[in-house]
């Protein structure tokens, strides 16, 4: 678009300035020239009249000496505001009203003055020049006179200062200048006002267009500077209304789309046609912290996964070939999170390439792993006692002659393994009821010291040579719980500790304190501790830290899982900390229960 460097307002000023100059400047120049010439002509005529008056006074007056003439000329000059000089035909000054009688003799000869030369030739000489004697510009007029009385034939000359005429002209020019100046200011003010209104209307249109271009609501043009611009203003306002309506619809749709995308649990990342990241929703930012800083980068730089980059490249290639079917890939990120990624090509937009949708399948993977582990664990836990029962039963069947003591020993092993299987099935049934909330709870006020004592008493036959200490007593605040289930939680933790503490220096310590509306109980031991990678899984069914499933350590592997569900149903929780910070060894189980009279948060 071609634009001019001169604004409309400046062009209006220039055009009006030319018109104003022609309308006022030319007449003013003509007036100046004519008035100057007229003033000079009138000044010359006035000087001649004054000269003739002085000549008449000298020729008709009766003077006895030059001193009397000089005095009369001084008085007349003062009255007429002129300077009178009388000189002989040879140019010598006899009297001058502008100087004293003593200085007359020192005046230079005036014979060479232009007006004097003209007067000697019989004319009335008139001249305008600067006087060195008075230091100002004077209008001179001179004429020849006849001898009269004490005065010889000579030349009389008057000098009239031009300052009065100049002052009058300057005053007139000043007044005219003020009138012209005020007229110019007023005229340019009107032009400025008119151009400002036009400029304001154009600026309003430009600003409204700029606002629309920046995605902001356009301002209406509230006035039209002229009828010629009214159709443009009306058309523009109507256009702005339509644009605003369309923009509101687009913004609303955009907000709805963003709300839907940000409300999705699945992470979503948009790539451009070159396979570079444009943006992502909230879920994607949670998956990849700092996602916004990778705008313009490849997915490989964000995820460090070559499989994901290859899948994106394959989807972009299919899009170029006109195939818009999705590409899927399974990826695993840091922290053990697993995602099923669907990469969908985008139709109809050359700038947009594909959309990556991240479906979090970490929990599904975890549940599948737990299911597999559960099947394997149940199979293993049942196979061991069943194998023992089957072996001893087959042995008994194959014996022709029974030894009562040997037979009793075999039957005790069979009974013990059968009881173990029965206990396992009972605990599985209890765990299932706890998980589905089918086990009724009667929550009452329970003294934790009493529950700890009952739990330890039931574990005493297994307690080896253990130094057991409980700092809970009657002063410990009561908790809101089911007594039997709380005892079971403590017993499960005690049994777990008894299995792993050393034979010779076994120590189990119980202590606690209140924390707000809760009682926190700590059960510590000096066993080998629990590795950090296993601490998040020990509350799963059948999970054991020892990978070889040492048969010398009894138990069903369900105790801690049952304890976790019991605590959850009580509105409490159970966690583990290993090693114990104060000792650097062993394990600490932390059991948190709501105090009696407190309402559980869950």
């Amino acid at each position: 678009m071609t634009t001019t460097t001169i604004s409309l307002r400046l062009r209006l000023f220039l055009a009006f300035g030319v018109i104003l100059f022609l309308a006022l400047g030319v007449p003013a120049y003509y007036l100046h020239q004519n008035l100057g010439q007229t003033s000079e002509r009138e000044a010359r005529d006035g000087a001649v009249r004054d000269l003739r008056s002085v000549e008449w006074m000298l020729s008709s007056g009766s003077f006895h000496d030059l001193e009397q003439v000089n005095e009369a000329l001084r008085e007349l000059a003062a009255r007429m505001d002129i300077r009178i000089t009388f000189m002989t035909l040879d140019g010598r000054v006899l009297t001058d009203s502008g100087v004293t009688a003593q200085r007359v003799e020192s005046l230079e000869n005036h014979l060479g003055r232009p007006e004097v030369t003209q007067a000697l030739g019989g004319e009335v000489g008139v001249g305008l020049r600067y006087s060195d004697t008075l230091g100002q510009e004077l209008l001179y007029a001179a004429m020849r006179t006849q001898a009269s009385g004490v005065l010889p034939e000579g030349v009389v000359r008057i000098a009239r200062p031009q300052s009065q005429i100049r002052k009058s002209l300057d005053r007139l020019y000043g007044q005219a200048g003020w009138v012209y100046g005020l007229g110019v200011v007023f005229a340019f003010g009107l032009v400025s006002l008119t151009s400002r209104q036009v400029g304001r209307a154009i600026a309003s249109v430009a600003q409204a267009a700029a606002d629309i271009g920046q995605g902001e609501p356009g301002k209406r043009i509230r006035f039209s500077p002229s009828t010629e611009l009214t159709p443009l203003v009306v058309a523009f306002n109507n256009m702005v209304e339509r644009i605003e309506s369309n923009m509101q619809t687009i913004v609303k749709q955009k907000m709805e789309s963003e709300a839907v995308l940000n409300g999705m649990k699945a992470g979503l990342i948009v790539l451009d046609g070159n396979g570079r990241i444009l943006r992502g929703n909230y879920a994607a930012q949670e998956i990849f912290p700092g996602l916004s800083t990778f705008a313009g980068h490849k997915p490989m730089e964000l995820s460090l996964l070559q499989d994901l980059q290859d899948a994106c490249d394959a989807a972009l290639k299919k899009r170029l070939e006109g195939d818009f079917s999705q590409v899927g890939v399974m990826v695993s990120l840091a922290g053990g999170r697993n995602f099923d990624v669907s990469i969908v090509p985008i139709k109809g937009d050359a700038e947009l390439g594909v959309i990556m949708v991240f479906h979090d399948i970490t929990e599904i993977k975890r549940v599948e792993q737990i299911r597999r582990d559960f099947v394997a664990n149940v199979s293993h836990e049942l196979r061991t006692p069943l194998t023992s029962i089957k072996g001893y039963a087959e042995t008994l069947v194959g014996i022709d002659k029974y030894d009562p003591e040997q037979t009793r020993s075999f039957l005790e092993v069979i009974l013990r393994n059968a009881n173990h299987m029965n206990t396992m099935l009972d605990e599985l049934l209890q765990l299932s009821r706890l998980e589905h909330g089918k086990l009724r709870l009667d929550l009452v006020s329970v003294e934790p010291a009493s529950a700890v004592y009952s739990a330890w008493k039931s574990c005493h036959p297994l307690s080896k040579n253990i130094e057991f200490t409980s700092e809970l007593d009657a002063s410990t605040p009561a908790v809101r719980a089911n007594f039997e289930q709380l005892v079971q939680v403590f017993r499960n933790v005690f049994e777990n500790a008894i299995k792993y503490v050393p034979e010779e220096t076994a120590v189990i310590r119980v202590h606690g304190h209140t924390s707000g509306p809760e009682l926190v109980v700590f059960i510590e031991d000096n066993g080998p501790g629990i590795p950090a990678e296993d601490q998040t899984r020990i509350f799963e069914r059948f999970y054991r830290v020892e990978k070889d499933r040492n048969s010398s350590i009894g138990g069903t592997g369900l105790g801690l899982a049952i304890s976790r569900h019991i605590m959850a149903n009580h509105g409490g929780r159970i966690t583990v900390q290993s090693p114990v910070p104060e000792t650097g060894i062993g394990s600490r189980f932390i059991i948190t229960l709501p105090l009696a009279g407190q309402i559980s948060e869950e």
Side-chain angles (χ1 to χ4, degrees), residues 311 326-330 340-343:
Q326 71 177 22
V327 177
V329 63
M330 305 281 289
D340 180 10
V341 185
S342 299
I343 305 174

Side-chain angles (χ1 to χ4, degrees), residues 218-367:
K219 297 179 181 179
R220 304 295 189 275
I221 303 175
R222 303 302 178 186
F223 66 94
S224 175
S226 64
T227 56
E228 291 79 4
L229 291 178
T230 299
L232 174 62
V233 171
V234 173
F236 189 86
N237 287 338
N238 293 336
M239 181 190 69
V240 169
E241 290 180 359
R242 290 194 299 271
I243 292 177
E244 284 186 358
S245 176
N246 294 335
M247 287 181 61
Q248 290 175 358
T249 302
I250 294 172
V251 170
K252 182 179 179 181
Q253 293 175 350
K254 180 182 178 182
M255 293 177 63
E256 291 175 353
S257 300
E258 289 182 352
V260 171
L261 293 178
N262 291 327
M264 293 174 57
K265 292 183 178 180
L268 187 144
I269 298 177
V270 182
L271 306 183
D272 62 15
N274 296 320
R276 299 187 179 276
I277 296 172
L278 290 177
R279 56 187 175 273
N281 65 351
Y282 290 159
Q285 294 175 15
E286 292 178 357
I287 298 171
F288 300 103
L291 172 62
S292 58
T293 62
F294 284 89
H297 294 262
K298 293 283 188 178
M300 176 69 179
E301 301 176 59
L302 173 66
S303 64
L304 302 180
L305 296 173
Q306 185 61 47
D307 292 345
L308 182 61
Q309 182 65 54
D310 293 341
C312 292
D313 294 340
L316 288 169
K317 183 178 179 181
K318 292 174 65 176
R319 178 176 178 270
L320 293 176
E321 296 172 352
D323 184 359
F324 294 93
S325 60
Q326 71 177 22
V327 177
V329 63
M330 305 281 289
V331 297
S332 297
L333 301 181
R337 301 185 68 182
N338 298 287
F339 292 90
D340 180 10
V341 185
S342 299
I343 305 174
V344 184
I346 302 175
K347 296 181 180 180
D349 195 328
E351 295 183 359
L352 300 180
V354 298
I355 296 177
M356 295 191 296
V357 183
F358 290 78
H359 301 280
D360 192 345
I361 58 173
T362 304
E363 185 64 20
I364 296 175
K365 289 282 188 181
R366 189 185 71 83
V367 171

Side-chain angles (χ1 to χ4, degrees), residues 157-174:
R157 187 188 71 174
I158 67 168
R160 171 181 288 182
Q162 286 293 96
S163 58
Q164 293 180 351
I165 299 175
R166 295 294 182 188
K167 288 180 180 179
S168 299
L169 289 177
D170 291 342
R171 185 166 56 252
L172 180 60
Y173 290 154

Side-chain angles (χ1 to χ4, degrees), residues 517-588:
E518 297 176 327
L519 176 69
V520 183
V521 179
F522 302 94
I523 302 177
E524 302 171 357
D525 63 60
N526 63 340
I530 304 171
E533 62 271 15
D534 294 316
Q535 291 180 19
T536 58
R537 299 197 61 191
I538 61 172
F539 295 101
E540 297 177 6
R541 310 175 196 182
F542 298 113
Y543 187 83
R544 289 182 179 177
V545 174
E546 68 282 357
K547 299 303 179 184
D548 59 349
R549 303 186 183 276
N550 190 350
S551 61
S552 64
I553 299 178
T556 62
L558 298 171
L560 291 180
I562 292 174
S563 298
R564 183 187 64 177
H565 284 285
I566 290 176
M567 294 309 301
N569 291 341
H570 278 69
R573 53 194 176 275
I574 179 171
T575 57
V576 67
Q577 187 180 26
S578 182
V580 179
E582 291 79 6
T583 62
I585 60 172
S587 302
R588 170 187 283 171

